């Protein structure tokens, strides 16, 4: 039986009277690449933001390797659904900030690349290494953390070598070609030592050659770092090539899940998202 790496249980996210994500459940098994697709505004990035602590969901829970890491259940729903008391409800609220979620083992990239654009490639990765640094204010003040700094710099160099980025280590991040900036953002996420990696439209803006290279790169890091990967993507050729399974959102609701072949043949998905070939 496969081990669950990431699980969403009836996640709902409301903004006033707008329900961006509506009772969405999904699962990513350990070592699996899962894609989340759907039209613009379907709620895909909102789901990412609920997983990573940017938003506290209105309802539902997120599990990392079967440990509940995010949860919120409004009193009415909690009492009705779980048959509990108000005290039970209070115990079932788990709010985590993005940095705490990262420390638990979930890293992400963004739809719009968010590098430290005026810093070097090396420093962009090194800053992420500090997230797991074994140091404190006292050791910093007394300059007792030099061995820790040496370790982080060594591991940063090793990571850049592994990702074929070391030759750019002294380049300013904003000067890199678009495809390399995407890879650098992924390398920075890897520096946090994640168990689950979330990629928000990693192939956006790439040409076919860059997309093919990215596909190979993602499969390589999945195996090298023993990752489970959830990605949002509109580039369906890329999704069909890389994903083990696909979930489809439309207006915040899950309308389908399955293998790439099953999704491409699903009438509801074709109508809502994929469309039909007028020349067929």
């Amino acid at each position: 039986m496969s081990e669950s790496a990431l699980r969403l249980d009836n996640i709902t996210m409301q903004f006033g009277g707008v329900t961006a994500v509506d009772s969405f459940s999904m699962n990513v098994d350990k070592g699996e690449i899962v894609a989340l697709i759907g039209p613009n505004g379907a709620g895909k990035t909102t789901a990412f933001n609920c997983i990573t602590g940017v938003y506290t969901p209105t309802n539902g829970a997120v599990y990392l390797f079967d440990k509940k890491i995010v949860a919120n259940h409004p009193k009415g729903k909690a009492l009705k659904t779980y048959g509990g008391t108000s005290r039970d409800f209070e115990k079932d609220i788990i709010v985590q900030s993005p940095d705490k979620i990262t420390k638990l083992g979930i890293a992400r990239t963004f739809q719009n690349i968010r590098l430290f654009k005026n810093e070097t490639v090396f420093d962009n990765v090194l800053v992420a290494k500090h997230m797991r640094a074994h140091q404190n204010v006292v050791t910093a003040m007394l300059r007792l953390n030099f061995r820790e700094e040496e370790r982080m710099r060594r591991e940063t160099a090793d990571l850049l070598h592994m990702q074929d980025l070391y030759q750019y280590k002294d380049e300013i991040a904003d000067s890199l070609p678009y495809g390399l900036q995407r890879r650098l953002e992924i390398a920075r996420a890897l520096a946090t030592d994640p168990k689950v990696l979330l990629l928000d439209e990693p192939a956006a803006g790439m040409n076919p050659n860059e997309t093919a290279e990215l596909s190979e790169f993602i499969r390589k890091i999945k195996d090298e770092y023993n990752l489970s990967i959830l990605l949002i993507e509109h580039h369906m050729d890329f999704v069909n090539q890389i994903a083990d399974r696909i979930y489809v959102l439309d207006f915040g609701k899950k309308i389908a899940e399955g293998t790439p072949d099953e999704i491409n043949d699903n009438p509801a998905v074709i109508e809502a998202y994929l469309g039909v070939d007028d020349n067929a």
Side-chain angles (χ1 to χ4, degrees), residues 19-146:
T19 301
V21 178
D22 191 352
S23 298
F24 178 47
S25 296
M26 66 167 294
N27 183 71
V28 180
D29 287 336
K30 184 177 179 181
E32 190 176 32
I33 298 177
V34 172
L36 180 59
I37 68 171
N40 289 329
K44 305 181 295 297
T45 297
T46 300
F48 264 36
N49 287 337
C50 290
I51 295 169
T52 55
V54 176
Y55 300 148
T56 298
T58 309
N59 189 37
V62 178
Y63 296 80
L64 179 64
F65 289 96
D66 290 326
K67 177 184 178 182
K68 188 184 291 184
I69 63 169
V70 173
N72 193 22
H73 298 289
K75 289 184 179 180
K77 289 188 177 180
L79 294 173
K80 181 178 180 181
T81 304
Y82 298 100
T85 64
S86 296
R87 184 174 298 175
D88 293 330
F89 159 71
E90 296 296 339
K91 291 180 180 179
D92 209 15
I93 298 176
I94 304 174
V95 179
Q96 305 271 20
S97 58
D99 61 309
K100 291 180 180 178
I101 294 290
T102 304
K103 286 184 177 180
L104 289 172
I106 299 178
R108 71 173 292 181
T109 63
F110 295 86
Q111 181 176 350
N112 298 314
I113 297 175
R114 295 187 186 179
L115 296 171
F116 300 107
K117 294 184 177 182
N118 296 320
E119 300 297 331
T120 66
V121 167
F122 191 90
D123 286 343
N124 263 272
V125 176
L126 179 62
V127 72
K129 279 290 179 184
H130 281 78
M131 194 273 298
R132 297 194 183 278
H134 303 293
Q135 55 190 9
N136 54 46
V137 174
V138 175
T139 59
M141 289 177 61
L142 298 177
R143 299 183 180 275
L144 301 176
N145 57 348
F146 66 94

Side-chain angles (χ1 to χ4, degrees), residues 35-45 111 199-205 211 231-240 246 248-249 264 272-274:
L36 180 59
I37 68 171
N40 289 329
K44 305 181 295 297
T45 297
Q111 181 176 350
L199 304 174
D200 194 344
E201 297 195 33
T211 301
L231 62 90
I232 294 171
E233 189 52 68
H234 286 289
H235 195 310
M236 283 307 298
D237 288 341
F238 175 75
V239 170
N240 291 332
I246 300 172
V248 188
L249 279 177
N264 283 289
Y273 182 57
L274 298 180

Side-chain angles (χ1 to χ4, degrees), residues 11-23 41-43 46 58 251-253:
I11 288 291
T12 295
M13 187 69 225
Q14 295 175 322
F15 300 96
V18 177
T19 301
V21 178
D22 191 352
S23 298
T46 300
T58 309
F251 293 106
K253 286 183 173 291

Side-chain angles (χ1 to χ4, degrees), residues 159-183:
L159 179 57
L160 290 174
H161 274 298
M162 292 178 70
Q163 307 312 323
D164 296 325
L165 292 170
Y166 188 78
Q167 63 268 38
Y168 307 106
K169 68 182 181 65
D170 296 322
E171 300 288 334
I172 299 300
D174 198 34
S175 71
L176 295 180
Y178 184 83
L180 288 179
Q181 289 190 38
R182 280 287 182 192
R183 287 180 57 179

